[in-house]
Amino acid sequence: MSEHEGTFCLVVHSHLPWLAHHGSWPVGEEWLYQAWAHSYLPVMDLLRRFADEGRRDVLTLGVTPVLAAQLDDPYCLRAFHEWLGHWQLRARQASSLWGHDPLLRELGATEYQRSTKAIEEFETRWRHGFSPILRSFVDNGTVELLGGPLAHPFQPLLDERVRSFALRGGLDDTALRIGRRPEGIWAPECGYEPGMEHGYAAAGVRRFMVDGPSLRGDTSAARTVGSSDVVCFGRDLEVTYRVWSPKAGYPGHAAYRDFHTWDHRVGLKPSRVTGKTVEPADKAPYDPALAADTLGLHVKDFVDTVVTRLRALRARHGRESLVVAAYDTELFGHWWHEGPAWLEGVLRALPEAGVRVTTLRGALEAGHLGAPVDLPASSWGSGKDWRVWDGEQVADMVQANRELQARLLAGRSAGTARDAVRDQAVREAMLALSSDWAFMVTKDSAADYARRRARVHTERFDTLDSLAREGRTERAAELAAEFRAQDDPFGQLDARGLEQD
């Protein structure tokens, strides 16, 4: 290795459940369009600027198949375009309503400028969806792409045959969109049970992410798992939690724009955090200059944290070491307004501080591979175990999913012709098995919506399955077409693939 302080990998995981045609506000399509406007657009713009500068291996980008499906979907593209136009109108109205306060008047003008730029960006670069944009960054080496299973299921709770089908289907979906299969995946929720590496190897997966405690805190190098050649990377929590943790992190600073406080007349956020115990009505107006000053301090603090960590690891291990920080992409812009600017600042400042910035693949090429490891059952959720997705609060959902999988597998047929009804039934089952629903229930985040979504997809599967068993093919075809008009991710999904497992 050449002389560096060490190596830093930023991994960002882009995921939302299937939201199209399933409600709007407060949970539903609005969630998708806010994340699209405030995270996906600015992060892709950042990557484009790095690509234009000739920067390669900037970061490792996870994109789940179910999110990619929405960002390519014609209905979602049209609806998001309309959403951007409404954002522009709301910003114009805000400029009038907020005219009494100089800071808010300026914020309204800035919102109008941002919405106008977003419309221009969308109309010129996103007309054909997300995949052409993503493919360009993969082809020119700006990012390393991580894929994943079809609808982001919690894999340890799946029957191995369903798990294999979902993973192969997800990798195939990504290959269809960008022209190549990812070598790495973001395992949904970093969920792992011993032995899963063999399924990964069979599917062509060479590397995946786990949380730091799975490696007992020693995340200074990647490691092969068990007797396989599949490599895991651990998230360094000492560094990662500097930004975002269950209790603290930069986004909660008083100077930053407050995510939770709205002016409901215009659907915009006018306030800064001000203080954790300050009521929304008493929060101070957002001040971009104050936020920018704070952002500069937080960029420096993070770079100092990474350098200090790398030096400590070098002293402990006697070699250059690795730090992997991993976050949801939606943190940058959607949850944390200043996040994209912080991201750019850090990615520019770290190389200047002597840190090698690269991808997971690049870290292996730089020699950061340690001894094999046997991983425990784990996740990146509360307790670092499975309690979020397999706990008491969601025991009924876990049982329902187990029974759904049994019916799914029992319904397999030996037919050779592709069956549109069976394809849609399997598609509904995949959506029902999304990890998001249990997460939202356990965390009491739109729990009613989550339970309803899991139930709706399960009921649709059962309806199609029952009609097919009864030989009512005409009615089954009618309903399958009706359901497909709402839920049509993974158009290439072929239910016959379950026969391979």
Side-chain angles (χ1 to χ4, degrees):
M1 294 188 219
S2 59
E3 186 66 22
H4 290 88
E5 295 283 1
T7 297
F8 174 81
C9 294
L10 177 69
V11 182
V12 289
H13 168 56
S14 315
H15 169 68
L16 290 176
W18 181 257
L19 299 167
H21 305 289
H22 287 279
S24 179
W25 177 271
V27 183
E29 291 182 19
E30 180 73 16
W31 185 8
L32 170 65
Y33 303 143
Q34 285 185 25
W36 199 337
H38 304 316
S39 290
Y40 308 144
L41 284 178
V43 170
M44 291 307 110
D45 181 63
L46 168 61
L47 291 175
R48 183 177 302 108
R49 285 184 277 115
F50 278 138
D52 290 344
E53 295 169 13
R55 292 275 297 271
R56 299 294 178 261
D57 293 329
V58 173
L59 54 80
T60 302
L61 177 65
V63 179
T64 62
V66 70
L67 175 62
Q70 291 175 97
L71 301 185
D72 284 342
D73 181 77
Y75 165 80
C76 292
L77 289 166
R78 291 193 301 271
F80 180 54
H81 193 200
E82 294 176 3
W83 188 94
L84 290 174
H86 286 298
W87 178 20
Q88 188 180 54
L89 291 174
R90 289 186 285 112
R92 176 177 291 178
Q93 183 183 9
S95 296
S96 174
L97 292 173
W98 294 348
H100 63 284
D101 184 291
L103 283 175
L104 290 180
R105 184 169 60 248
E106 181 63 27
L107 179 61
T110 300
E111 282 288 305
Y112 184 82
Q113 293 166 0
R114 290 179 64 225
S115 63
T116 301
K117 179 183 177 182
I119 291 171
E120 294 172 352
E121 179 78 4
F122 181 80
E123 291 177 344
T124 56
R125 300 186 187 273
W126 289 72
R127 290 184 302 164
H128 303 295
F130 177 50
S131 290
I133 298 170
L134 178 60
R135 182 170 185 167
S136 70
F137 296 138
V138 174
D139 287 348
N140 65 23
T142 305
V143 303
E144 175 188 354
L145 180 66
L146 300 183
L150 282 168
H152 207 257
F154 191 74
Q155 295 180 109
L157 298 180
L158 295 184
D159 181 286
E160 288 188 13
R161 293 163 291 178
V162 177
R163 182 192 301 169
S164 175
F165 175 79
L167 178 57
R168 285 188 289 103
L171 295 173
D172 288 345
D173 186 85
T174 301
L176 183 66
R177 295 180 192 279
I178 69 163
R180 67 180 78 181
R181 288 168 69 89
E183 294 181 347
I185 68 165
W186 180 280
E189 320 296 0
C190 291
Y192 174 82
E193 71 170 348
M196 277 177 55
E197 65 274 9
H198 301 301
Y200 288 161
V205 173
R206 298 184 181 181
R207 47 192 170 270
F208 67 103
M209 286 290 302
V210 297
D211 213 357
S214 299
L215 294 171
R216 299 165 184 83
D218 186 3
T219 58
S220 62
R223 299 182 182 276
T224 53
V225 182
S227 60
S228 75
D229 293 326
V230 179
V231 173
C232 72
F233 288 81
R235 191 171 66 137
D236 186 316
L237 296 189
E238 182 173 317
V239 173
T240 296
Y241 279 179
R242 194 72 180 169
V243 181
W244 188 249
S245 77
K247 297 182 179 179
Y250 302 148
H253 190 278
Y256 289 142
R257 196 168 182 178
D258 186 65
F259 174 81
H260 300 284
T261 302
W262 295 81
D263 183 334
H264 290 284
R265 297 172 298 174
V266 289
L268 298 175
K269 301 168 184 177
S271 305
R272 58 185 177 93
V273 173
T274 312
K276 293 182 179 179
T277 61
V278 178
E279 293 297 320
D282 298 324
K283 289 182 181 287
Y286 180 65
D287 184 343
L290 183 61
D293 289 343
T294 303
L295 187 77
L297 295 175
H298 284 159
V299 168
K300 182 179 185 304
D301 178 78
F302 187 79
V303 171
D304 290 345
T305 298
V306 171
V307 170
T308 299
R309 176 69 165 156
L310 288 171
R311 288 175 179 173
L313 291 171
R314 181 198 287 265
R316 183 184 309 166
H317 299 293
R319 55 172 168 77
E320 281 188 21
S321 292
L322 171 67
V323 163
V324 178
Y327 310 96
D328 289 332
T329 306
E330 295 77 22
L331 170 64
F332 302 104
H334 175 49
W335 294 103
W336 181 19
H337 176 73
E338 297 79 10
W342 178 89
L343 193 64
E344 179 169 4
V346 163
L347 290 172
R348 294 192 183 283
L350 280 169
E352 295 175 358
V355 176
R356 177 193 295 106
V357 174
T358 189
T359 58
L360 300 183
R361 179 184 58 238
L364 291 175
E365 292 171 352
H368 295 292
L369 183 62
V373 65
D374 291 320
L375 295 173
S378 55
S379 78
W380 77 337
S382 301
K384 307 306 178 185
D385 53 22
W386 300 353
R387 71 185 66 174
V388 172
W389 301 275
D390 194 22
E392 182 178 349
Q393 290 174 273
V394 291
D396 60 325
M397 300 177 74
V398 173
Q399 181 62 27
N401 285 348
R402 188 178 297 118
E403 294 170 355
L404 169 61
Q405 292 177 75
R407 297 194 299 276
L408 173 65
L409 293 169
R412 297 189 299 173
S413 67
T416 58
R418 189 165 181 183
D419 183 347
V421 172
R422 180 66 177 162
D423 289 349
Q424 185 61 31
V426 173
R427 188 175 290 115
E428 297 289 350
M430 294 296 105
L431 294 172
L433 294 169
S434 169
S435 70
D436 299 272
W437 314 137
F439 178 89
M440 293 166 70
V441 171
T442 299
K443 297 296 185 179
D444 195 23
S445 172
D448 290 343
Y449 177 89
R451 285 188 175 277
R452 182 169 66 253
R453 288 295 305 277
R455 183 175 63 253
V456 162
H457 296 298
T458 299
E459 289 174 350
R460 287 181 174 184
F461 168 85
D462 286 335
T463 298
L464 294 175
D465 188 53
S466 295
L467 289 171
R469 288 175 182 275
E470 295 166 6
R472 299 171 60 187
T473 55
E474 185 174 338
R475 179 55 178 159
E478 290 175 355
L479 273 183
E482 179 183 320
F483 296 158
R484 190 163 56 249
Q486 292 189 43
D487 300 325
D488 192 24
F490 327 128
Q492 84 294 345
L493 183 150
D494 187 341
R496 294 173 298 177
L498 280 168
E499 297 295 330
Q500 299 178 21
D501 301 298

